[in-house]
Amino acid sequence: MKLPRDLSGSEVAKRLDSHYGYRVIRTRGSHMTLELTVGGTPTM
């Protein structure tokens, strides 16, 4: 699968949130930690 190269990291995080239920739980520099939520509750 080819990934689009014209999206910023924050745009990818927004799309993952709106389509698949991921949310950003921490940002350190240019790295983001995402967490998958199922039914509004974290999975871990």
Side-chain angles (χ1 to χ4, degrees):
M1 170 199 283
K2 291 192 90 168
L3 298 176
R5 303 249 181 210
D6 60 342
L7 298 176
S8 67
S10 59
E11 183 64 31
V12 171
K14 284 182 202 173
R15 290 185 184 194
L16 285 173
D17 177 32
S18 64
H19 292 285
Y20 300 106
Y22 283 90
R23 67 183 181 106
V24 177
I25 58 171
R26 183 175 70 189
T27 304
R28 292 187 70 171
S30 62
H31 293 90
M32 293 181 194
T33 303
L34 301 172
E35 180 177 69
L36 178 61
T37 57
V38 178
T41 58
T43 57
M44 290 186 103

